[in-house]
Structure formats: C-alpha cells, structure tokens
Amino acid sequence: MAYYYDEPSRTFNEYLLVPGHTPADCIPAKVSLKTPLVRYRKGEEECPISLNVPMVSAIMAAVSDDNMAVALATEGGMSFIYGNQTIEQEAAMVARVKAYKAGFVESDSNLSPEMTLGQVVELKEKTGHSTMPVTSDGTGTGKLLGIVTERDYRLSRMSLDLPVSEFMTPLEKLVTATEGTSLKVANDIIWDHKLNSLPIVDDEGNLKYLVFRQDYDTHKENPLELLDDEKRYMVGAGINSRDYAERVPALVEAGADVLCIDSSEGFSDWQKMTIEWIREHYGTDVKVGAGNVVDRDGFRFLADAGADFVKIGIGGGSICITRETKGIGRGQATATIEVAKARDEYFEETGIYIPICSDGGIVYDHHISLALAMGADFVMLGRYFARFDESPSHKVMVNGTYMKEYWGEGSARARNWGRYDLGGKKSLSFEEGVDSYVPYAGPLKDNMAVTLLKIRSTMCNCGALTIPEFQDKAKLTVISSTSIVEGGAHDVLLKDKTPYVSNVTN
Ligand code: RVP
C-alpha cells in the first residue's frame, strides 16, 4: 500500500516567525550571515568553503553567467554558472570570473598608431569610451605605445586623416604601473599624478589593464565579497550526470570553486555515480553538491553518496510546472523542515555537517528568513536574480513596464532535457518549465542590500546574531488562511503602491 504522510505539504507562505527576546546589543549591523557551503566536521574543523551571505543564484541560463557571478560574489554570495551550454563555453565563463580583477579593466577600445582621427571618433561613438590605449597591433594586449583621450585632439582644428601616432600622448610621457600592482597602490599613483586612468603593463611592456580614477572607491566598499585564497572571486558551476568525465576536468581547470549536479530530481543512482567518479579522480579536493530532494530518504542517499551539500526542492520554482505535468514534488517549507531534521540526525550520527540549500519558491524576502529558520544553510534563487541588470537575459518593455525575460531550464526555450533525464530514448520529451517575464528591478547591489537588511532585522527580532543561533532560537507557527490576509495591508484604501505596501520581491 502506498505511504501517506501525516502532515500536509506546506509552503513558506503558510508560516510566520514568532519574535523572541531581543537583547540591547542585538542590532542588524552586528548580525553575521556567514554560512557553511560544503560538508565538514563541525566542532572539529573550520568549514573549507563558507558563503558570507546565504544566497546563491540558480543554475539557469537566464540567471547565472559570469557577469552575475562577479556581481553576486561582490556582495558575498555565489553563482552557479549554468551547465546547459558546451563544456568550453561554461569553462570560459568560470575562467572569466576567476580572472576578473575588481577595478582592473581589460581595454576594449584600442588603437594602432596608423589609425586616423576619423577612426578614433568612430570608435568613441561605438563604445562610448574616451580613453583609448594605442598598441603596436591595435589590440588590448599589444605593446603599449601611447594613449588617446579627448584632451589629445580638437576636431575643429585637426584633419580627420591625421594618424594617431601624430597626436597621441606617447609612452614616454605616460605614467604606467606593472602587473601585480594592487588596486590601492594603483589608486595612490592616480592621485599623486592627477591621472584619469593608469595603464598596467607586463614585463615586456604589453598592456594588461586600465585602472580608472573612480573605481577604487566603488570597489573598496564591499566588505563581504567572497574571495578565494588568491583574492579571486569565488564561483560555482553546474554539472550533469552524463558528461561529467569531460565537463568536471574542464571546470576544475578553469578554477571553479565548487560544482553542483543540476537535476530536477536527485534521488537517483546517476547522481551517486557522478559523485563516485569525482571522488575517484579528485578525492575530496573537488567539492560537489547534489540534488534536488524533498525528504529524509533522498537526503540520506546523497549524504551517504558523499555530496558536499544537498539541494532541496521539487516543483516550487516560479517557472516550474513539474507538479502539474508529473504530479511529483513537495511544499518547499515541509521539504526544508524534514531535510533539516535529517541533516541534524546525520550530524549526530557521524559528526559530519552537510549544509542544505533550499532551492526555488522564494517569493518574498521574508521567505529567505523562514527557510533559514527552518534549517536551510543557504537558499538558491532564480526569479529573484533574473530581475536585475546583471542577469544575462534581455530587458524588454511590456505594456509600458520594463521586464526581464526569465525561462525555466525545463522549458522549450532552454531545452535542457538532460536536467530531467531518466534514461531511455530521447525522441520524446515534454516541458516542465515555462518562458516568462519578471519585472525589471535595477542593480543587484541595491536590491540585495534591502533583502539582507530585512533578514538581519528579522534575526534580531528573534534575538539571533548568527544563522546557527537563529535556527536554534526561531519559533515558527503555521498560519491560517485568514491570517495570511491580515498579513498584508487590509481594510484600507491604498493611495499608491509605495514599497511599504508590498514586500514582494518583484
Ligand atoms: P525560483 O527562484 O522560484 O525562480 O526557482 C528557481 C529554481 O527553479 C531553480 O534553481 C531550479 O531548481 C528550478 N527550475 C529551473 N528550471 C525549472 C523548470 O523549467 N522547471 N525549474
């Protein structure tokens, strides 16, 4: 006979936190959101990789590319670069994140000495950049010969045929710095010499980067940025359970800090085999998360298989129609609560703590707080990040409002059928996701600042300064459908939709 759960399957929206005592020194500015990302012997050793904020971006083509990864790591979280692209493309994205140096810009508007003033004007119009290095071969990595800025020419007085070599500021008059110079030192040089930009060159005099006057201030304001031992941004990458023997080495080589097997349903031998292959070839040096599961059995299976973290969630994603099409899944809150219990039980038995990630279904910022209170160590979000400037999708105008495109990995648009693969012939497939729009919300930094402040405030309401303390002290209550109505503005006539009225993150 089939097994029946006693409890209904609940979503985050059906829960609230009941405040606890807030000591006077428990203020949002003192809250630490640091959280473990991979398995470790809690109490005996430090977690080898932690996040500085408990948010990661979804393994989706509409969400996590290298641009998003840099923006999110700057704020202390991590992106998982999407895996539904060629191995070379995914590895290149990872490599770009690892090569990215905040404040060090690879020049994309470059001149050769033979080019003309007319071409300078054209290039400026095309790229919008007025600082143009002149190199021997006209590339951004050629031997530096000089620089052209707006101060070097006057269109009213000079012929458009004049060669760059005649009016550029030549190398001997330029201040440059060598590769390895820190952003702080570069900034000091810029100030001492009253420069607008500083070219960084290698030992052979080839151009590497430009550092601009304004960038130091922008980059020193990120105290939570997530960096590896070599001060490079950290980044994750999605893998699948088919081409791992080729994909994993390429991603490791490119510098991925952690991998995650991306599948809609992870309680399978395929995931076990993938983890086993990684352990056989890399031991525990390569960290790999697995999922998704929604109950104790699924968690135990992946924990025993050696997963470094376990991802929870089937069917709760905003673009996901798995529950509709296949009738499988579980309410995200119930799944998180049960898997958190299984994680704690596993820790009691083995001394090994395996972080868990609640993936999908975060609609309001406070759902993140609820997920953490229920035991999640971090959350994965797709829709939330898709709305920002930094996401890879197009910004479009729909009925007078700016939107960003957002589509599921199981939609016909993504055709990531491998994520839903259960073996067998592939001649037939069906959609488990939709193609949609989400309201455009501006820069990631501004939005995350508000979200994180809300989480910190909620934690203080519960008397907690760290996530483990929050999980320990949190008191959660299921709410009735009538109290859900009471939870929003009610029985008043709204004047306008100011941010106060809606805390929906859309
Ligand atoms: P959300 O944050 O609610 O947009 O959910 C994002 C999550 O949804 C992803 O991390 C993934 O687990 C799931 N997903 C991605 N594509 C699809 C689909 O097409 N069904 N689902």
Side-chain angles (χ1 to χ4, degrees):
M1 192 188 141
Y3 177 81
Y4 288 88
Y5 289 87
D6 293 336
E7 291 285 319
S9 175
R10 296 190 187 280
T11 67
F12 291 130
N13 232 17
E14 293 173 83
Y15 283 88
L16 277 181
L17 280 152
V18 176
H21 169 242
T22 308
D25 63 350
C26 188
I27 57 169
K30 287 196 180 169
V31 169
S32 161
L33 292 175
K34 192 168 172 179
T35 193
L37 179 68
V38 294
R39 68 159 67 205
Y40 71 113
R41 291 199 160 268
K42 191 169 155 182
E44 289 175 31
E45 60 177 5
E46 279 276 303
C47 180
I49 307 179
S50 296
L51 299 168
N52 290 334
V53 303
M55 294 167 77
V56 300
S57 70
I59 312 170
M60 299 173 73
V63 182
S64 298
D65 66 353
D66 45 319
N67 197 30
M68 174 62 72
V70 167
L72 182 49
T74 304
E75 304 309 316
M78 187 187 275
S79 287
F80 283 84
I81 303 289
Y82 67 97
N84 191 29
Q85 55 181 331
T86 65
I87 294 173
E88 294 72 30
Q89 286 167 335
E90 189 181 8
M93 282 193 181
V94 169
R96 282 204 290 277
V97 179
K98 299 310 286 186
Y100 185 87
K101 297 179 83 183
F104 289 80
V105 180
E106 285 180 26
S107 174
D108 64 358
S109 307
N110 308 292
L111 304 168
S112 63
E114 309 79 39
M115 285 168 81
T116 62
L117 177 56
Q119 289 174 301
V120 171
V121 175
E122 263 173 37
L123 189 60
K124 180 170 176 272
E125 262 168 30
K126 195 169 136 210
T127 64
H129 298 149
S130 51
T131 301
M132 304 180 195
V134 184
T135 61
S136 50
D137 59 1
T139 70
T141 51
K143 205 170 181 56
L144 185 67
L145 301 176
I147 215 161
V148 170
T149 69
E150 280 164 328
R151 287 194 224 152
D152 294 309
Y153 56 88
R154 268 196 177 178
L155 291 177
S156 56
R157 295 203 184 168
M158 289 157 62
S159 156
L160 287 177
D161 295 331
L162 201 65
V164 162
S165 55
E166 304 250 325
F167 61 92
M168 68 182 186
T169 303
L171 183 62
E172 51 277 17
K173 290 199 184 157
L174 286 180
V175 179
T176 61
T178 49
E179 212 180 350
T181 304
S182 72
L183 187 57
K184 182 172 180 322
V185 170
N187 189 60
D188 289 344
I189 299 172
I190 286 174
W191 278 92
D192 290 348
H193 294 85
K194 298 191 186 346
L195 309 172
N196 280 323
S197 67
L198 176 70
I200 308 285
V201 291
D202 68 12
D203 292 344
E204 267 102 58
N206 297 315
L207 180 64
K208 298 297 290 184
Y209 307 103
L210 293 174
V211 176
F212 290 92
R213 192 183 183 89
Q214 72 276 13
D215 278 1
Y216 181 65
D217 286 338
T218 321
H219 292 295
K220 70 173 188 192
E221 283 166 11
N222 304 308
L224 292 179
E225 57 189 359
L226 194 65
L227 304 173
D228 66 15
D229 293 343
E230 293 167 45
K231 302 244 178 285
R232 301 175 303 178
Y233 282 126
M234 296 187 89
V235 62
I239 59 169
N240 61 68
S241 51
R242 282 157 291 118
D243 65 11
Y244 49 81
E246 292 85 43
R247 195 172 290 266
V248 170
L251 294 172
V252 170
E253 174 70 24
D257 294 283
V258 54
L259 307 175
C260 183
I261 311 171
D262 182 32
S263 167
S264 71
E265 204 269 283
F267 190 176
S268 76
D269 283 345
W270 312 115
Q271 298 233 342
K272 188 167 182 255
M273 278 148 45
T274 308
I275 298 170
E276 278 170 1
W277 186 91
I278 291 175
R279 295 291 170 250
E280 192 187 314
H281 291 81
Y282 296 95
T284 53
D285 290 345
V286 169
K287 307 294 179 195
V288 58
N292 283 5
V293 299
V294 286
D295 71 350
R296 179 186 180 278
D297 297 347
F299 171 84
R300 288 298 294 213
F301 179 81
L302 293 178
D304 289 339
D308 282 298
F309 65 85
V310 172
K311 213 142 64 65
I312 311 158
I314 296 178
S318 57
I319 33 49
C320 184
I321 51 169
T322 292
R323 293 184 194 166
E324 246 169 65
T325 49
K326 295 207 319 214
I328 62 159
R330 200 173 193 193
Q332 193 63 15
T334 304
T336 302
I337 293 166
E338 184 174 316
V339 173
K341 276 194 191 132
R343 187 263 327 271
D344 293 344
E345 185 186 286
Y346 192 84
F347 174 62
E348 289 300 317
E349 283 172 27
T350 64
I352 295 170
Y353 187 87
I354 300 180
I356 54 171
C357 168
S358 178
D359 173 18
I362 299 287
V363 180
Y364 298 92
D365 285 341
H366 81 260
H367 288 172
I368 303 176
S369 306
L370 287 170
L372 297 174
M374 288 169 184
D377 296 279
F378 57 103
V379 294
M380 178 173 270
L381 309 100
R383 190 193 61 90
Y384 177 89
F385 288 111
R387 299 169 305 140
F388 303 151
D389 285 322
E390 293 81 356
S391 77
S393 74
H394 289 125
K395 181 174 154 192
V396 289
M397 180 78 90
V398 181
N399 296 333
T401 309
Y402 277 121
M403 298 279 187
K404 292 273 287 194
E405 293 185 313
Y406 179 44
W407 60 94
E409 287 295 298
S411 67
R413 177 165 181 179
R415 304 188 67 81
N416 185 0
W417 307 134
R419 187 172 189 271
Y420 304 85
D421 192 10
L422 292 171
K425 264 178 81 182
K426 306 272 164 6
S427 52
L428 211 56
S429 37
F430 54 89
E431 287 183 86
E432 293 195 38
V434 296
D435 191 357
S436 69
Y437 297 115
V438 285
Y440 165 67
L444 175 144
K445 191 181 192 66
D446 300 356
N447 284 275
M448 268 186 79
V450 176
T451 301
L452 294 172
L453 178 59
K454 286 184 195 167
I455 298 169
R456 291 192 172 97
S457 304
T458 306
M459 286 170 62
C460 290
N461 291 138
C462 298
L465 285 172
T466 65
I467 291 174
E469 197 181 356
F470 185 40
Q471 290 165 340
D472 199 38
K473 289 187 170 171
K475 294 181 286 185
L476 288 143
T477 177
V478 172
I479 51 177
S480 68
S481 41
T482 6
S483 21
I484 293 177
V485 175
E486 194 186 60
H490 61 95
D491 301 305
V492 292
L493 194 61
L494 296 180
K495 286 187 182 168
D496 61 14
K497 285 204 165 242
T498 52
Y500 140 74
V501 175
S502 164
N503 64 348
V504 183
T505 58
N506 63 21

